[in-house]
Amino acid sequence: MRIQLNGEPRHLEPDATIAALLDAEGLGQRRVAVEVNGEIVPRGRHPQHALRDGDRVEIVHALGGG
């Protein structure tokens, strides 16, 4: 399956989830926001949210500051 990840093409296994994608990218334990096709997917739904061929995924790192 092919997706766009932050504007770059990526190949994934069929039925890959957001959680699997984050693990593959080394971001499984990081605080990130994930948007799929223009909609934010809450962190609690990452393990269940299956990606589909052609999805556009954006991952944004959460930064702290003050």
Side-chain angles (χ1 to χ4, degrees), residues 1 3 13 16 20 28-29 32 34 37 41 52 58 62 66:
M1 154 173 74
I3 66 164
E13 296 295 321
Q29 301 303 317
V32 296
V34 179
N37 300 324
V41 179
R52 297 184 182 149
E58 296 289 329

Side-chain angles (χ1 to χ4, degrees), residues 2 9 12-13 31-34 42 44-45 51 53 59 62-63:
R2 289 180 56 106
L12 300 176
E13 296 295 321
R31 292 183 55 92
V32 296
V34 179
R45 293 198 356 229
L51 296 167
D53 192 51
I59 299 174
L63 299 176

Side-chain angles (χ1 to χ4, degrees), residues 10-38:
R10 288 283 196 286
H11 291 276
L12 300 176
E13 296 295 321
D15 299 323
T17 63
I18 292 174
L21 173 62
L22 292 174
D23 285 342
E25 294 293 316
L27 300 171
Q29 301 303 317
R30 305 282 308 263
R31 292 183 55 92
V32 296
V34 179
E35 181 182 279
V36 178
N37 300 324

